[in-house]
Amino acid sequence: QVRLVESGGGLVQPGGSLRLSCAASGIGFSTYSMSWYRQASGKGRDLVATISNYRVTSYAESMKGRFTISRDNAKNMVYLQMNSLKPEDTATYYCSGSRNGFNYWGQGTQVTVSA
């Protein structure tokens, strides 16, 4: 059974930092491209960052320089370090694993940036 479980969300003040984690099980993790998406209330789900199985990373423009995606294949974990957080970063953040066009999704973790 495939499971992706996100953690690390919460309430943070503007300018603060959070580190999201995603624990994967039931997949050949090292062969999957892993991504973080986010969905703000009433909006669509947007790609935040991707790390390929070769550890090549890419980011949405508004996250470049503030967010860092990384993976630990030995632990089947993917992380999203978020710095300089802004109120507009408030959203539910989802972990996704993909291979050959097929995606698995986690349940999401809420991030709220507010004073």
Side-chain angles (χ1 to χ4, degrees):
Q1 181 181 1
V2 178
R3 291 192 69 199
L4 298 177
V5 180
E6 302 95 336
S7 61
L11 174 64
V12 63
Q13 292 187 342
S17 297
L18 280 177
R19 187 194 195 206
L20 305 183
S21 300
C22 173
S25 59
I27 59 173
F29 181 78
S30 65
T31 68
Y32 275 70
S33 178
M34 300 300 296
S35 298
W36 287 96
Y37 288 75
R38 71 185 187 185
Q39 186 167 16
S41 180
K43 297 188 177 181
R45 191 170 295 190
D46 297 322
L47 179 64
V48 173
T50 297
I51 183 165
S52 76
N53 53 326
Y54 297 106
R55 300 181 185 274
V56 176
T57 59
S58 61
Y59 299 89
E61 193 64 34
S62 62
M63 287 71 165
K64 288 181 180 178
R66 297 192 301 127
F67 291 8
T68 302
I69 189 170
S70 61
R71 67 189 296 162
D72 184 337
N73 288 346
K75 297 181 179 180
N76 286 6
M77 297 287 294
V78 62
Y79 306 99
L80 185 69
Q81 177 67 43
M82 305 186 294
N83 299 326
S84 302
L85 284 162
K86 306 173 182 180
E88 52 264 42
D89 294 317
T90 295
T92 301
Y93 284 71
Y94 296 91
C95 173
S96 175
S98 65
R99 188 179 73 176
N100 297 331
F102 192 83
N103 278 19
Y104 292 104
W105 294 91
Q107 293 301 305
T109 185
Q110 176 67 34
V111 172
T112 303
V113 185
S114 175

